[in-house]
Every structure is written in structure tokens, then in C-alpha cells.
Amino acid sequence: MRILAAAFLCAVAGVGLAQQPQQPDPCDRKTRVVGDVTYCDRYWECVSGIPQLYDCPNGLVFVGRNRGIAEGCDYPWRGAYCDGKQLANPPISSEHCDWLYGIFGHETSCTRYWTCWNGTATEQFCIGGLLYNEETHACDWPQNVVGCQKHPLCKDDPNANVPLGKSCERYWACQGGYPRLQRCPATLVFDKQSRRCVHPPTADCEVPTTTPPPEGELGGFQGDDNRNFNAPRPQRRRPLPPARDNPLPDEGRFAPDNSLPFRADNRPIGPLQPQGGNIRPPPIPGALPFNN
Ligand SMILES: *[C@@H]1O[C@H](CO)[C@@H](O)[C@H](O)[C@H]1NC(C)=O
């Protein structure tokens, strides 16, 4: 048995030697770091004159010193880093995270996704009517995201304007079933009856007042516009007491959990980049430096 095992090891080693390109020595490099020639999720670093082998954080691949999101490692889909190489490590999965580090689609929603840092998932939202694109791992225009559900907001009429809560200025403009966050031009308010921007007052919105409304009456919006302004600007229009809103029912082909976040800034953004400190695991023990 032992002989068999030894023979097997020799065979594997022989194949390895025959096929692998020579591993460069990180101690010959100015950066003191070099990627492993076999595994794209490993790299060698010269530590006190001795080459040491390291794993990238699980889910990341080596891209070069001082590059990537952590320890010279980055998301594999950002480049062809694994072409002709293998992964040394299998995925370590946790709830919502296929790997400990990465950006992953949401189980039930096209407007949400997960960023994972050391296996801890943080829910993120695509805003302004964008949807999470699993191919680019970023928020994208709906027409670029195949197979995603349209939004319940636009269920009754795929091309209608839909009021946004109690807001007098903002509304959703449905385009082909996908909502985009819009704002009425200055001095106009959104009229829920005609579903257009009109001159106030309307049934729900008064003419602008001279006193600023108290905080937090914008119905779910995070105040974005309160910075960067020194010059006088039009007062927010005070909503009247709320009428009973009938929430749109979710059914059919729409995802049940697909509500849009009410964010006041509607610029397209990519996924947030997780940030963290030193996450490098210890060197892989017993890794043989190169036989040169
Ligand atoms: C990652 O999470 C594990 C357990 O959840 C913890 O033991 C470890 O210290 C964490 N590592 C880092 C670098 O935060």
C-alpha cells in the first residue's frame, strides 16, 4: 500500500513537473510578491528572504501587490486572472454568500444583491430603477438584465407614472414595467389624479410655504438635498394628511420581495466595495519553495 501511494505521488509529481511552468521566486522580485503559476487564488511572498505561499481570501484571486480589494487579491470576474490556472480552494459558503468574499445576487429580488465580507452578507439595493446584473456584478439598466422580474409598482400600467408615498415632488415613471425615480420640475408638484407634474395646489399638495417643514415628512426619503446649498431655494411643499393608500398587490410574475428602496439620490451606482483591515490568513505550512 505504501509503495502504491509512493508510486502515485511520484506519478503526480512527475506530471506536475512536466506540465507546470517554472514558479518565479518572489525574492527575485522588486515587489516581493508573485502569483502562483498553478493556482490563481494563491501567491508567493518573500518574507525575511524566504518564499511563503499564501491563499487569497476565499472567493478572491491574486491580481498583484497593492491591487484588488484585499491583500493583492480581487474579485475573479474583474479580469482573466484564472485563465490557464486552477483554483486551489473550494468555496466556503454561508447564508447568502457563495464564497466568503464576493458580490452575489439576491434570492428573490432583482433590485437587491449581497456583498459578502468574510462570510457576512450585507444587503444592498440598486436604486433609481436599476437591477442587479449577475454577469457584471453591478446595478444595470433593466434592458441589460435578462430574466429579471418587472416591478409590482408598474403592474397596473407598465408605462404610467406612480406616486411615491406622500412625496409631492418625486414619483416613479414606469417604462416598460420598470420604475425610474423622477422629480417634478421646480415649482411643480406631482398630482396623483392626473399622474403628472402640475402647478400646486392639488388635492394632496399645498402651494409651497415659507416655513420649512419638520424633518422626516418626506415619507421614506433620506434627505439628500440639505447639503451643498447656501443659496435660498424653494421650500419643500408640505403634503396634506395622508389619504389611505392601497398598496399594489404582488402577484403573478412579479417577485414578492422586490420593493424598491426609497432613496433620494437616483444616480446609478455599482455595488459598494466592502472594506476591511488586514485579512490575510497565515502562510500555508510546508509549502515547498521551488526546486531551483
Ligand atoms: C472571519 O470570520 C471568522 C468566523 O466567522 C472569524 O473567526 C475570523 O476571525 C474572521 N476573520 C477575519 C479576518 O475577520
Side-chain angles (χ1 to χ4, degrees):
M1 194 64 193
R2 202 183 270 169
I3 292 167
L4 257 185
F8 175 73
L9 276 179
C10 284
V12 168
V15 167
L17 278 181
Q19 292 185 344
Q20 291 313 319
Q22 184 88 37
Q23 173 65 53
D25 187 334
C27 298
D28 295 340
R29 299 281 177 110
K30 199 174 163 193
T31 60
R32 320 303 279 171
V33 174
V34 65
D36 188 80
V37 290
T38 309
Y39 299 108
C40 52
D41 54 346
R42 285 186 167 170
Y43 60 97
W44 295 86
E45 181 163 348
C46 184
V47 180
S48 307
I50 298 166
Q52 303 262 33
L53 182 59
Y54 291 90
D55 275 323
C56 279
N58 186 256
L60 306 182
V61 297
F62 182 74
V63 295
R65 185 192 267 297
N66 296 330
R67 296 179 53 215
I69 60 162
E71 311 298 336
C73 302
D74 205 356
Y75 301 118
W77 36 264
R78 285 217 174 122
Y81 304 109
C82 287
D83 280 6
K85 295 189 182 183
Q86 306 163 41
L87 287 170
N89 298 290
I92 300 174
S93 304
S94 65
E95 195 179 10
H96 309 306
C97 304
D98 297 346
W99 301 74
L100 289 184
Y101 294 82
I103 299 172
F104 306 104
H106 199 279
E107 294 81 355
T108 58
S109 169
C110 284
T111 60
R112 304 175 185 205
Y113 59 96
W114 301 102
T115 54
C116 292
W117 191 261
N118 194 24
T120 300
T122 305
E123 192 174 39
Q124 312 282 358
F125 302 94
C126 294
I127 57 177
L130 302 182
L131 303 178
Y132 177 75
N133 186 334
E134 185 71 42
E135 285 167 25
T136 57
H137 298 259
C139 297
D140 203 347
W141 298 111
Q143 59 266 30
N144 300 330
V145 184
V146 285
C148 245
Q149 308 90 338
K150 297 178 182 183
H151 198 279
L153 273 171
C154 304
K155 185 174 167 297
D156 291 344
D157 182 341
N159 295 299
N161 294 330
V162 178
L164 195 167
K166 290 190 257 176
S167 177
C168 286
E169 298 158 322
R170 306 253 184 180
Y171 61 97
W172 297 108
C174 290
Q175 296 168 13
Y178 298 102
R180 306 237 163 114
L181 191 55
Q182 304 288 335
R183 180 201 281 272
C184 287
T187 76
L188 300 188
V189 298
F190 187 78
D191 175 36
K192 289 182 182 175
Q193 260 62 52
S194 64
R195 305 198 159 217
R196 293 166 50 217
C197 297
V198 300
H199 287 285
T202 64
D204 303 298
C205 297
E206 297 172 344
V207 179
T209 58
T210 48
T211 50
E215 283 293 314
E217 75 170 26
L218 282 174
F221 272 113
Q222 297 160 6
D224 64 327
D225 295 342
N226 297 330
R227 46 177 200 239
N228 306 335
F229 287 103
N230 295 321
R233 50 192 296 267
Q235 298 297 333
R236 292 195 185 279
R237 292 165 285 270
R238 180 190 295 269
L240 295 176
R244 250 324 331 101
D245 276 345
N246 292 326
L248 288 166
D250 286 344
E251 55 182 50
R253 60 206 170 95
F254 293 105
D257 183 29
N258 210 8
S259 62
L260 282 171
F262 288 164
R263 283 274 300 266
D265 47 347
N266 61 350
R267 69 210 139 81
I269 55 160
L272 303 176
Q273 297 306 323
Q275 297 295 328
N278 182 2
I279 58 163
R280 182 157 73 167
I284 295 161
L288 292 180
F290 344 106
N291 30 0
N292 55 358

